[in-house]
Amino acid sequence: MTLIDGKQTAADIKKEIAAEVEKMVAQGKRRPHLAAILVGHDGGSETYVASKVKACRECGFESSLLRFEDNITEAELLKAVDDLNNNPEVDGFIVQLPLPRHIDEQRIIEAVNPAKDVDGFHPINVGKLSIGLPGFRSATPAGIIELLRRYHIPTRGKHCVVIGRSNIVGKPVAQLMLHKGDVGDATVTICHSASENLSEIVRQADIIIAAVGRPGFVTADMVKDGATVIDVGTTRVPDATRKSGFRLSGDVDFESVAPKCAYITPVPGGVGPMTICSLMLNTMQAARQRNA
Ligand code: GUN
């Protein structure tokens, strides 16, 4: 069994990005600049945004964090998005989700200029991904593909079972695994909460991508010997032994599943660090396009 080290892979990629940034700067170009909008004080969102700002520093990017209180109106938030769309100093930006309930999330996503949508959430970028055109790819799926690429895990003709059908992970990663390419060309099945015989289907998988958000959902009896298992779950479960009061739990029952696998990602330290890394790659792509 090989443990897929997302933390190390992400560190390697950030070093590669930082080297490219220094080259850009030496040529007199501006550093890539990522902005983030954070509304309210949700603990998870605070942590994610702080990690994104830290990753920007590691890559040599400029970053800006725009904070707003929970009571911001939708009109005010749309104005903040529009300002970033029109700010020539900003290459790309994200609006951290979830947003307060009085704000229509989809409306905000669709207000972002697709050319600055480094989260890849705008329907234009989702559509481009779906038909294999270049565009910004949602960060977690792109990170998973990069891990498979860097670990030289064969995908061509293999059966990939994705568990979960979210717009951010399940659907886009299934599309990417389906596309022709060095990583992809797989036979793809998507399972979800209404799937009958889910265990039976997952047992046929050469590659399992678990993105259901249910700790320990994938158990050893659902995994074929020699399978590759990618665990996207990052559910916070209470843990009194931790200073934070919680730990992250994956969708895979790691202890029982790992011994059966050819490759497996841990939680934490697997897909998570790659997600932020993909955001940095997307920002780099936005900056390259600005310089082109
Ligand atoms: N909330 C959870 N994941 C994400 C993400 O990838 N991007 C944004 N903007 N918000 C999130």
Side-chain angles (χ1 to χ4, degrees), residues 61-81:
F61 293 179
E62 300 270 354
S63 67
S64 310
L65 175 55
L66 284 77
R67 302 194 70 124
F68 298 98
E69 290 303 320
D70 270 327
N71 61 0
I72 187 173
T73 65
E74 189 174 286
E76 286 165 337
L77 191 53
L78 285 169
K79 167 77 169 60
V81 166

Side-chain angles (χ1 to χ4, degrees), residues 45 48 52 94-98 119 121 139-140 168 275:
S45 292
Y48 284 133
K52 290 168 187 178
I94 62 156
V95 182
Q96 187 66 31
L97 305 177
D119 254 336
F121 290 171
T140 301
I168 293 181
T275 296

Side-chain angles (χ1 to χ4, degrees), residues 43-258:
S45 292
E46 293 269 5
T47 309
Y48 284 133
V49 169
S51 308
K52 290 168 187 178
V53 169
K54 177 167 169 265
C56 281
R57 236 182 356 255
E58 291 165 349
C59 292
F61 293 179
E62 300 270 354
S63 67
S64 310
L65 175 55
L66 284 77
R67 302 194 70 124
F68 298 98
E69 290 303 320
D70 270 327
N71 61 0
I72 187 173
T73 65
E74 189 174 286
E76 286 165 337
L77 191 53
L78 285 169
K79 167 77 169 60
V81 166
D82 201 44
D83 287 347
L84 289 174
N85 282 340
N86 293 312
N87 184 344
E89 303 281 306
V90 171
D91 294 301
F93 66 97
I94 62 156
V95 182
Q96 187 66 31
L97 305 177
L99 291 170
R101 288 178 55 181
H102 65 278
I103 291 174
D104 179 348
E105 226 163 64
Q106 194 58 28
R107 193 155 175 218
I108 302 298
I109 288 170
E110 292 185 28
V112 176
N113 176 353
K116 291 194 177 188
D117 169 39
V118 285
D119 254 336
F121 290 171
H122 192 286
I124 291 272
N125 284 315
V126 175
K128 284 183 172 174
L129 176 143
S130 139
I131 59 172
L133 290 177
F136 294 118
R137 292 169 172 193
S138 170
T140 301
I144 293 168
I145 298 296
E146 197 55 31
L147 277 180
L148 295 172
R149 184 194 324 281
R150 292 194 179 225
Y151 276 82
H152 307 290
I153 295 168
T155 58
R156 183 155 201 265
K158 301 297 181 192
H159 188 192
C160 172
V161 175
V162 178
I163 316 173
R165 55 175 157 182
S166 72
N167 289 336
I168 293 181
V169 183
K171 276 187 250 176
V173 82
Q175 306 257 23
L176 292 173
M177 290 301 287
L178 188 63
H179 287 165
K180 285 188 180 170
D182 55 341
V183 179
D185 259 338
T187 302
V188 181
T189 303
I190 307 180
C191 293
H192 48 80
S193 50
S195 295
E196 290 178 4
N197 309 322
L198 186 139
S199 299
E200 208 173 288
I201 297 166
V202 176
R203 238 188 326 272
Q204 293 167 27
D206 301 301
I207 300 166
I208 299 169
I209 301 178
V212 264
R214 285 172 58 181
F217 182 81
V218 177
T219 47
D221 59 300
M222 293 160 74
V223 178
K224 179 166 87 174
D225 277 329
T228 291
V229 175
I230 307 292
D231 189 350
V232 187
T234 50
T235 308
R236 285 180 167 197
V237 298
D239 185 341
T241 69
R242 303 286 173 102
K243 205 167 68 183
S244 61
F246 68 86
R247 65 187 155 79
L248 288 183
S249 174
D251 288 346
V252 177
D253 178 29
F254 187 89
E255 294 300 315
S256 70
V257 170

